Amino acid sequence: MNLKDADFITVSSYIRTMENRLLTKSKLESLISLHNFSDIIKGLSQDTDYNFISVNNLDQAEHILKEEWKRVCEMLYQVTPHNEAVQILLLPYEFHSLRQTMKEEMSQSHKTIQLSEEMKKIRSEAEALEGNNQIKEMFLDRKMYETMIKISQMLNSNFITEQIQMKIDFYNIKAMLRAREMKKEAAFFELCYVKGGHLSKDVFLHNYSVPFSAVAASFSKKYCNVEVQKGLEAYESNHNFSELETLFHNSLISNLKNAKLISYGPEVMYAYLMAKENEIRQIRLLLTCKFRNISDGILIRKLGESYV
C-alpha cells in the first residue's frame, strides 16, 4: 500500500475543527461540581455533539452515547483516504463481536452478528484449537494485537506503532499479574504473552519470580514510565486492577497528546478517534456515578486524563 502523510492533509484540517467540540478538562470539572443529574444532562447538551435534552435515565443516555460513537465512526470512514487509520482503533470492537458469536453458538442463541470475512477466518482458527475456552481467548488476544501492529506498519506511523506497543506492554503486565495471582507456572504466562511490545518475554519471566512487593521497583528500571510505576505500586497495595487500568489509560492519553504536534497524517485521525472514545467513556462514568450518588473523589480518579 502506497500511503503518504500528504494523503491526509484535507481530512486533518477537518478533524482539527472537530477537536474544538471535544469535552475539555475544564468543562468536565465544571460538570463534576454539579450534583443534580438533570443539570449535568443540560450541561452536556451545550457546546458538545450530544443531544441529551430529553434524557431522564442512564439507559437513555447510553443510547445517545452509542449513537454518537456510531456516527463518528461512520463519518470518519467516509472522509478518510485510507480505512486503516480508522480500522486500527475499531479492531477491539470487531474482536468483541467475534467473541459474542462464539458465545452465542455455545448457548444456541438466535442472535446474529455480522462478521467480516477476515473475522470469520479468525473465528474458524480459534474454534479449531484444542483446549479450553481460555486457550481460545488468548489466541484471539494475540491475533488482535498482531493485526494492530501490522496495520500500524502499513500506516507507516512511528507514533501509532508506539501507541500499540504501549497497549501490548500493558496487556502483558496485566497477564503476568493475573497468572501470578492464579499461582500458575511461568509456562502458563508464556502462553499469554503477546509479541510486539517494548518489553521482551525475558523481562516478564525475570519478574515472575520477583516478590509482589518488588515488582514495581523492578519494572521502573526496565520501563521508565511514572504512570506504570504508580499503577504497579497500587496493585501491590490492593491487588485490584481498577486503579492499575486507570493509570495505564492515563499513560496512553498523555502519549496521545503528542499527536497535537503533527500537522497532518494518519496520526491526526487516530488521535481524534481515540480522544472521542475516551470522551464517551468519561461521560458514561460521570453520568453513572452522579446517578448512583458515588463520591466525586472516586469519580475523579476513575475519569483519568483528558485529551483536551
Side-chain angles (χ1 to χ4, degrees), residues 94-221:
E94 290 188 54
F95 273 83
H96 174 73
S97 295
L98 186 156
R99 286 178 165 91
Q100 288 297 107
T101 64
M102 293 174 69
K103 289 178 181 177
E104 285 170 7
E105 287 179 7
M106 290 176 61
S107 64
Q108 296 184 332
S109 170
H110 295 295
K111 292 181 181 178
T112 56
I113 298 174
Q114 295 297 318
L115 295 177
S116 67
E117 290 304 313
E118 182 62 26
M119 287 295 109
K120 289 178 182 177
K121 179 182 176 183
I122 293 172
R123 183 183 65 181
S124 296
E125 291 177 23
E127 290 173 336
L129 290 173
E130 294 183 3
N132 57 27
N133 289 334
Q134 193 173 35
I135 296 296
K136 296 176 182 180
E137 287 288 332
M138 289 189 289
F139 166 78
L140 292 176
D141 286 338
R142 287 196 301 274
K143 199 72 176 179
M144 181 183 74
Y145 285 115
E146 175 188 305
T147 306
M148 291 172 85
I149 284 290
K150 284 181 180 178
I151 295 175
S152 73
Q153 292 169 346
M154 289 168 64
L155 292 170
N156 195 28
S157 168
N158 291 333
F159 170 81
I160 295 176
T161 298
E162 165 73 10
Q163 279 271 312
I164 305 306
Q165 288 176 320
M166 289 175 70
K167 291 180 180 183
I168 292 173
D169 285 337
F170 297 160
Y171 173 88
N172 284 330
I173 290 172
K174 289 182 289 185
M176 180 194 72
L177 294 174
R178 285 195 184 97
R180 285 182 52 140
E181 287 283 7
M182 295 164 65
K183 302 190 184 311
K184 296 285 189 179
E185 297 293 329
F188 176 82
F189 167 74
E190 292 191 63
L191 292 174
C192 303
Y193 178 77
V194 174
K195 296 178 182 178
H198 292 291
L199 299 174
S200 70
K201 188 190 295 183
D202 290 341
V203 171
F204 291 97
L205 293 178
H206 167 73
N207 280 279
Y208 212 79
S209 58
V210 171
F212 266 122
S213 59
V215 170
S218 179
F219 262 92
S220 67
K221 297 173 185 175

Side-chain angles (χ1 to χ4, degrees), residues 58-75:
L58 291 178
D59 287 340
Q60 292 173 349
E62 181 62 26
H63 176 73
I64 298 292
L65 292 175
K66 286 182 177 179
E67 287 299 307
E68 174 62 10
W69 177 245
K70 180 181 176 183
R71 181 192 71 81
V72 168
C73 292
E74 289 177 350
M75 179 270 295

Side-chain angles (χ1 to χ4, degrees), residues 5 67 71 145 193 218 235 244 258 260 271 274 302 304:
D5 286 350
E67 287 299 307
R71 181 192 71 81
Y145 285 115
Y193 178 77
S218 179
Y235 185 81
L244 182 73
N258 292 324
K260 295 178 182 180
M274 188 166 170
K302 287 182 174 293

